Amino acid sequence: MSIFNFVKERHRGRKGLALAALAIVLSSCSSTFGGYKGATTQGQSEASLYQGFMITGIVVAGITFLGLFYVLVRFRRRKGTNRIPAQRHSNLPVEVIYTVIPVLIVIGLFVFTVRSENKITQVSSNPNVSVDITAFQWGWRFTYSNGVSIVSQGANYPQLVLPANETTKVTLVSQDVVHGFYIPAFNFSRYALPGVTNYFDFTPTNTGTYVGRCSALCGLYHGEMLFSVRVVTPTQFQSWLTQQKAA
Ligand SMILES: [Cu+2]
């Protein structure tokens, strides 16, 4: 049953309304507001940061609209009174409050952002797996440290295989123009730039196959720069890597 039906059915009782409000608050605590939950520990940090911003926004909007509607109703023009209400030039305490509170909110959001970004951009010095990723017009090359190389071949989109619950260090470069290495389910995108080397870690938490694509318009066949990511157990990963090496 959706929250709206719930509200409709129980609209007579205050208890029903209170329960509905509680349901909205609780569901927003587990919802990522249309975003991905993140299939890596880094992506989950991103998702919870986004969730925190959304909940803060909802609370601020709620308080603002409640105050606005209170003023609209409480000080509305009533029958028989034609008088203009008392005019004030300023109200120092109120002005201080509505300056200080937003500043504190912004500082709080900033601190949480820095903490999450530090987690997301942290690169491990001893990763379990290392893979070099090269973007080119119009495809991808994934090269593992044992020499195994997976590359785009026409409409055969390459697959990046990663072990779950282990840390993979990625070294990202571009061979020609600006590309974007984007995995929506990981809440992750990073430019692949000619002349610049980017490093980042993935620690996938869920096994499965995910879509990847180029996120920067890089020429005629930009739309063909697709790939997939398959997260498997560490044992499956090792046997896959040995198999590829043998082949
Ligand atoms: Cu591209």
Side-chain angles (χ1 to χ4, degrees):
M1 181 174 37
S2 84
I3 286 165
F4 300 105
N5 285 334
F6 181 77
V7 173
K8 221 188 276 171
E9 276 175 27
R10 304 289 302 268
H11 74 285
R12 284 198 190 108
R14 279 199 175 175
K15 203 171 152 196
L17 269 181
L19 277 174
L22 187 70
I24 291 169
V25 170
L26 288 180
S27 67
S28 66
C29 286
S30 63
S31 160
T32 42
F33 303 99
Y36 288 96
K37 284 190 177 2
T40 58
T41 56
Q42 294 83 358
Q44 283 151 14
S45 299
E46 187 66 56
S48 53
L49 180 68
Y50 175 57
Q51 196 179 41
F53 267 69
M54 288 301 285
I55 292 171
T56 308
I58 290 169
V59 169
V60 169
I63 292 169
T64 308
F65 280 107
L66 274 180
L68 182 63
F69 286 123
Y70 170 76
V71 168
L72 284 175
V73 173
R74 172 80 175 75
F75 301 105
R76 72 187 184 279
R77 186 174 176 182
R78 289 187 170 88
K79 255 186 193 165
T81 49
N82 243 344
R83 208 161 48 81
I84 290 175
Q87 302 294 300
R88 258 193 208 96
H89 178 260
S90 60
N91 186 328
L92 195 63
V94 171
E95 284 168 28
V96 169
I97 289 169
Y98 75 54
T99 306
V100 169
I101 292 177
V103 168
L104 290 178
I105 293 172
V106 171
I107 291 172
L109 293 177
F110 178 78
V111 169
F112 280 108
T113 305
V114 170
R115 278 175 45 178
S116 293
E117 287 190 348
N118 283 345
K119 260 190 237 168
I120 294 161
T121 56
Q122 195 181 37
V123 179
S124 165
S125 51
N126 57 340
N128 303 90
V129 179
S130 293
V131 53
D132 290 347
I133 299 180
T134 307
F136 57 89
Q137 284 176 317
W138 286 275
W140 304 94
R141 189 182 305 111
F142 307 134
T143 309
Y144 291 82
S145 47
N146 71 345
V148 166
S149 190
I150 314 289
V151 68
S152 299
Q153 278 165 335
N156 270 339
Y157 305 124
Q159 188 168 62
L160 177 67
V161 180
L162 299 175
N165 303 312
E166 286 193 351
T167 301
T168 299
K169 182 184 166 188
V170 175
T171 305
L172 178 69
V173 293
S174 168
Q175 197 172 290
D176 36 48
V177 299
V178 177
H179 299 276
F181 179 79
Y182 178 37
I183 307 170
F186 284 11
N187 285 334
F188 186 89
S189 179
R190 184 66 55 89
Y191 274 137
L193 300 162
V196 175
T197 307
N198 273 314
Y199 303 94
F200 50 87
D201 278 1
F202 284 142
T203 313
T205 51
N206 310 349
T207 55
T209 306
Y210 308 97
V211 171
R213 49 172 65 102
C214 179
S215 60
L217 182 59
C218 58
L220 191 58
Y221 295 106
H222 158 68
E224 284 296 298
M225 276 189 72
L226 299 168
F227 62 96
S228 60
V229 183
R230 186 159 56 98
V231 177
V232 295
T233 64
T235 337
Q236 284 169 330
F237 175 78
Q238 281 312 328
S239 60
W240 173 82
L241 202 60
T242 323
Q243 216 179 331
Q244 291 293 316
K245 178 88 183 161

